């Protein structure tokens, strides 16, 4: 029986909450062992939970990012596009970025298998 979108949305909400709380172990437990994750702050991708752990640890030593999901848009092939409000601050509290971006997740067997940063369809009115 395939996962219902509601359970996948709850999975993603839990992952964002763990990220914002800097609870790496809880966040990684929601991912497949070979998860593909973007190095949005540095470019490229990391693969696997230990590489995600190292990337987040490095990222949090340099910037303070908070990402709040705003809307969830289920797509085909087990993917969900999440509109997020992202606020990135330097370590002294200055705002570096305050924007809405898209995160496209691939869910496999009830776990996050991949995430990519993407543009939002509604972010360019008139296009």
């Amino acid at each position: 029986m395939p996962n219902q979108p509601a359970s996948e949305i709850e999975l993603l909400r839990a992952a964002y909450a763990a990220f914002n709380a800097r609870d790496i172990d809880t966040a990684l437990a929601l991912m497949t062992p070979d998860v593909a994750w973007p190095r949005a702050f540095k470019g490229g991708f990391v693969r696997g939970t230990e590489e995600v752990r190292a990337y987040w640890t490095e990222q949090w030593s340099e910037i303070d990012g908070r990402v709040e999901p705003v809307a969830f848009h289920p797509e085909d092939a087990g993917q969900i596009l999440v509109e997020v409000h992202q606020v990135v601050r330097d370590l002294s509290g200055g705002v570096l970025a305050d924007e809405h971006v898209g995160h496209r997740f691939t869910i496999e067997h009830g776990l996050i298998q991949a995430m990519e940063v993407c543009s939002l369809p509604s972010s360019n009115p008139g296009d």
Side-chain angles (χ1 to χ4, degrees):
M1 180 172 135
N3 284 342
Q4 299 302 311
S7 64
E8 294 180 353
I9 288 169
E10 288 310 308
L11 168 79
L12 295 175
R13 285 189 190 282
Y16 281 110
F19 176 89
N20 287 330
R22 305 299 186 246
D23 184 350
I24 292 178
D25 290 333
T26 296
L28 295 181
L30 303 173
M31 300 177 186
T32 63
D34 66 342
V35 64
W37 199 267
R39 290 169 44 93
F41 182 51
K42 301 278 186 169
F45 280 82
V46 293
R47 183 168 289 278
T49 52
E50 289 312 305
E51 287 189 17
V52 173
R53 178 189 303 277
Y55 167 61
W56 282 352
T57 301
E58 176 190 14
Q59 175 184 328
W60 295 335
S61 75
E62 299 175 23
I63 59 170
D64 179 21
R66 301 283 165 178
V67 187
E68 295 294 337
V70 175
F72 295 86
H73 307 283
E75 298 180 329
D76 294 335
Q79 292 188 317
I80 297 178
L81 176 63
V82 184
E83 178 186 347
V84 298
H85 179 211
Q86 173 176 281
V87 179
V88 179
R89 299 176 187 276
D90 61 26
L91 296 183
S92 61
V95 175
L96 301 173
D98 184 343
E99 59 194 351
H100 284 251
V101 298
H103 290 168
R104 178 172 287 116
F105 288 89
T106 302
I107 310 295
E108 189 175 273
H109 305 300
L111 295 171
I112 297 166
Q113 199 275 320
M115 192 273 266
E116 62 182 308
V117 178
C118 56
S119 58
L120 292 168
S122 60
S123 62
N124 297 316
D127 279 358

